Amino acid sequence: MLHGAENAQSSISFVITMCHFIGDMFTPCAHRIILLIGTRMALVTGTLMVSGGFVAAGFATEVWQLYLAIGVCYGVGHSFLYTIITVAIPQWFHDRCSTANGIICGAVSLSGLLLPYLMYSCNSSLGYEWTFRILGFIFLGANAITCVLVKDNPRSATAVGSGQNQKKIPVLEFLKDGNFIIWVAAAIAQLSVAYVPSFFVPSYASHIGLSNQQGSFAILVMSISNLVGRTFSGFLADRLGNLNTSIIFNSAIGLAALTLWMYTYSFPVLMGYAVVAGFFGISYYTLMPSILRLILSPERYRSGFSVFMVLVCPAILGPTLISAIDDHIDAEPFLTHKIFAGVMPIISALIIFLLKYQLSKEFWSKI
């Protein structure tokens, strides 16, 4: 499909970016549809759209068809599933909500470890068409389990059918909430560079003279470390507080980029950065639901989550913008990536510290 096409890699990258962007932007619509048709039917709809997107991609002959199959169909389906899971977890886990989120996010990292090898094997022997179709059936089976097991807690204020959820909360009410806006700013800062290490470490490895195998091994180590880090961040958050844990993890990943990655010119040092970046990176997805629920009341959480996802959506373009800046300045290659990957999480940590001060004046408070 892409043989001989110019900028093929950029086109595929845009498909992935488009998928995430549409998924986040569709969240308010997914929220209203879920309230209308119910959690179970929305799960089935999301499952069919995700699997259908992969199967349709197997018949694609042009890149624009991938935009529709993966970018739109998969993106919308993912929005249904992610919205339901993110809202349902706090309904069932009150004291250990972040631990539950960490386990689920760790499972996502595990799938990210296994699927690339499966895709490589299938693509080598069967071609991209059947690779996409097989992925569609795999996701159909995995998400079918979700459709059976996941449901709302009928006693929760955020459950579908609850009287509080039927009331429309004006968007302006959230925009006037100072703590909500502070958390949006912190989320944008950390999410804009959350994927920079995993996206660019392989290219950076080639830049410093390492082999493709060494670059791939760095990503493998980063993924394994990320699996452990996501789970541990949830466990730690339930003991130290979600904001405290987010400050620690953002500070650590920022300092790692400004120290380790900034002076990485050999394979052993790159491995060290891969371990640290994997462990402390992307804690956002583990901690975000609990922090948002801390800021908003349970009655406002579902609607607030929809508004939040739309507001932080532009952060998805972070890696693309950083690459564009790096291409247009006269500096060492990847220096822009290193600086942004270090500075933005530290800025996020400072903003979260401000949010913590807003919620509690005590420095050592568990929050």
Side-chain angles (χ1 to χ4, degrees), residues 171-331:
V171 175
L172 191 60
E173 179 177 324
F174 295 105
L175 299 181
K176 290 181 179 179
D177 188 330
N179 293 334
F180 179 78
I181 295 301
I182 291 174
W183 172 231
V184 168
I188 290 175
Q190 60 181 291
L191 189 57
S192 63
V193 295
Y195 291 102
V196 167
S198 57
F199 280 7
F200 296 105
V201 159
S203 300
Y204 182 76
S206 299
H207 168 68
I208 61 176
L210 301 180
S211 65
N212 291 335
Q213 289 79 5
Q214 288 174 314
S216 299
F217 187 72
I219 291 299
L220 175 64
V221 170
M222 189 179 296
S223 299
I224 295 174
S225 183
N226 185 245
L227 188 158
V228 178
R230 285 188 174 193
T231 306
F232 181 75
S233 65
F235 175 82
L236 190 66
D238 285 328
R239 282 148 184 83
L240 298 183
N242 289 281
L243 294 181
N244 293 332
T245 303
S246 187
I247 291 171
I248 293 171
F249 272 64
N250 277 289
S251 300
I253 188 64
L255 292 174
L258 294 176
T259 54
L260 275 175
W261 194 13
M262 187 66 71
Y263 302 102
T264 294
Y265 297 101
S266 64
F267 182 64
V269 181
L270 183 65
M271 285 295 97
Y273 176 69
V275 172
V276 176
F279 187 86
F280 290 102
I282 324 184
S283 62
Y284 164 81
Y285 291 104
T286 299
L287 304 177
M288 178 272 289
S290 297
I291 294 177
L292 191 61
R293 189 176 176 86
L294 174 69
I295 297 170
L296 304 174
S297 63
E299 295 79 12
R300 301 168 64 214
Y301 175 70
R302 187 185 284 268
S303 297
F305 173 75
S306 300
V307 177
F308 176 82
M309 292 298 290
V310 172
L311 292 178
V312 302
C313 188
I316 295 172
L317 302 175
T320 303
L321 296 177
I322 292 171
S323 293
I325 294 173
D326 192 67
D327 291 339
H328 287 83
I329 64 172
D330 185 17

Side-chain angles (χ1 to χ4, degrees), residues 139-193:
F139 275 78
L140 179 64
N143 289 328
I145 299 174
T146 303
C147 293
V148 174
L149 297 181
V150 174
K151 63 179 181 179
D152 281 314
N153 185 342
R155 294 173 294 179
S156 172
T158 59
V160 173
S162 172
Q164 293 92 331
N165 275 317
Q166 303 307 320
K167 296 187 298 183
K168 290 186 178 180
I169 303 177
V171 175
L172 191 60
E173 179 177 324
F174 295 105
L175 299 181
K176 290 181 179 179
D177 188 330
N179 293 334
F180 179 78
I181 295 301
I182 291 174
W183 172 231
V184 168
I188 290 175
Q190 60 181 291
L191 189 57
S192 63
V193 295

Side-chain angles (χ1 to χ4, degrees), residues 104-158:
I104 291 175
C105 290
V108 173
S109 297
L110 180 62
S111 67
L113 273 172
L114 301 177
L115 284 179
Y117 294 98
L118 174 65
M119 293 173 63
Y120 178 80
S121 300
C122 291
N123 191 50
S124 300
S125 57
L126 301 175
Y128 78 88
E129 297 94 342
W130 275 104
T131 299
F132 278 124
R133 295 166 193 165
I134 291 172
L135 283 176
F137 287 113
I138 290 175
F139 275 78
L140 179 64
N143 289 328
I145 299 174
T146 303
C147 293
V148 174
L149 297 181
V150 174
K151 63 179 181 179
D152 281 314
N153 185 342
R155 294 173 294 179
S156 172
T158 59

Side-chain angles (χ1 to χ4, degrees), residues 179 182 247 348-359:
N179 293 334
I182 291 174
I247 291 171
S348 179
L350 293 174
I351 297 173
I352 295 170
F353 186 82
L354 173 62
L355 176 60
K356 177 184 175 180
Y357 181 79
Q358 290 282 97
L359 296 174

